[in-house]
Amino acid sequence: MTADARTHALCLLCRLALDATAINNGHVTIAFEDAFANLIDSVNSTQYDHELRLQLLRSVPASSTRLNCFRQRLAMAFFYEDSSFLTKQPVDLIILSDVAKHLRQPQFTIGQDTDYSNLAASVAILDIGLDNGNPPRSIVAIQSEDGFNKEVDSLAKAVKGRFMRIIDSGASHMLRTEAKDVLEALHCRLTFAVRTKQKPKANPFADPGVETSQLADSGAFMKAFLARQKENVQSDVRQA
């Protein structure tokens, strides 16, 4: 049996275990336990820890708020290797600064000894667990939203730093390419989906801190730029 076939069979058994009617049948329970034990024994520990968990998560539907919350909890428990996440409240489930800190663990370090298959699976698990990043539900002050977006930017920067270090030239580096793609996809989702608003672009004609959206058109750009240059020239003349 191939690794993919074993993984799929285990996922089917896990979903069967959720059916109380089937599991309460003694004959089904015995067959289930034997099949599950044999399949687990045939899967190496590395695959069990990462790829199998990812396959299980992808098999869990997210068709309702409750199911999606369970899926998130399971993903974060896998990501942190901590079963306490299975009982955490949604508001405490995702702390972006903690995620960024956990990414500093050795298994996420890019180097000669990196297991890119495990890295890709772990990052994909994180992607499922993050969902929308748990932004502030009611933003009373703009500072809370800004603080959340800063944490998103910090995490996105950490993710980008990792995929930028991956050198995947050549067909012999397909695992590296796959891992890089997963990291890039997470970075894009953090930047364009998790962030509550578009990141302001640098504008050479605006004063520091002024967002591009605050200047209506290119005419306003140039007007602000020329006014600032005029002030600088007058200041230089007075000093002279």
Side-chain angles (χ1 to χ4, degrees):
M1 183 181 288
T2 64
D4 288 341
R6 285 197 300 267
T7 301
H8 185 66
L10 279 167
C11 289
L12 290 176
L13 288 174
C14 288
R15 298 185 75 170
L16 176 63
L18 299 176
D19 188 338
T21 303
I23 292 300
N24 286 337
N25 184 303
H27 296 292
V28 174
T29 300
I30 293 173
F32 169 83
E33 291 177 350
D34 288 343
F36 199 89
N38 290 333
L39 284 169
I40 288 294
D41 289 339
S42 69
V43 178
N44 63 64
S45 59
T46 300
Q47 184 184 14
Y48 177 76
D49 287 341
H50 301 281
E51 295 178 24
L52 182 59
R53 288 177 172 182
L54 176 59
Q55 182 65 30
L56 173 60
L57 284 170
R58 286 173 172 169
S59 299
V60 176
S63 53
S64 70
T65 301
R66 188 176 181 183
L67 280 170
N68 189 56
C69 184
F70 168 73
R71 190 167 177 251
Q72 276 188 272
R73 285 171 172 163
L74 189 57
M76 298 311 287
F78 286 159
F79 177 70
Y80 284 107
E81 300 286 345
D82 185 352
S83 61
S84 68
F85 280 84
L86 295 173
T87 57
K88 284 185 179 291
Q89 294 299 316
V91 69
D92 300 321
L93 189 61
I94 301 169
I95 301 177
L96 297 178
S97 58
D98 289 348
V99 174
K101 182 178 179 181
H102 191 69
L103 285 177
R104 301 190 193 110
Q105 296 294 317
Q107 63 266 33
F108 298 103
T109 302
I110 307 302
Q112 293 182 347
D113 299 326
T114 301
D115 188 329
Y116 289 98
S117 179
N118 290 342
L119 175 64
S122 297
V123 173
I125 288 172
L126 171 61
D127 196 4
I128 292 173
L130 281 178
D131 196 55
N132 66 347
N134 194 25
R137 290 292 181 265
S138 58
I139 301 175
V140 179
I142 195 65
Q143 292 179 353
S144 60
E145 183 182 12
D146 290 343
F148 172 78
N149 286 331
K150 286 179 180 178
E151 289 189 349
V152 173
D153 293 341
S154 178
L155 179 57
K157 183 179 179 180
V159 172
K160 183 177 181 179
R162 277 154 183 78
F163 75 69
M164 291 293 288
R165 295 191 191 100
I166 298 177
I167 302 175
D168 60 338
S169 58
S172 61
H173 294 151
M174 287 305 299
L175 289 177
R176 295 188 182 190
T177 301
E178 291 173 2
K180 189 172 185 177
D181 288 344
V182 173
L183 284 163
E184 284 188 278
L186 176 58
H187 175 265
C188 288
R189 202 166 70 78
L190 286 168
T191 303
F192 301 109
V194 176
R195 214 178 191 281
T196 59
K197 60 183 179 181
Q198 186 177 1
K199 188 174 182 179
K201 297 179 181 179
N203 176 18
F205 299 110
D207 292 324
V210 177
E211 297 184 13
T212 302
S213 59
Q214 293 177 276
L215 300 176
D217 52 31
S218 59
F221 288 174
M222 186 56 66
K223 184 177 180 180
F225 173 73
L226 292 175
R228 189 169 65 252
Q229 292 301 312
K230 183 178 180 180
E231 291 177 1
N232 291 339
V233 170
Q234 290 176 347
S235 176
D236 292 341
V237 170
R238 286 194 297 267
Q239 291 177 1

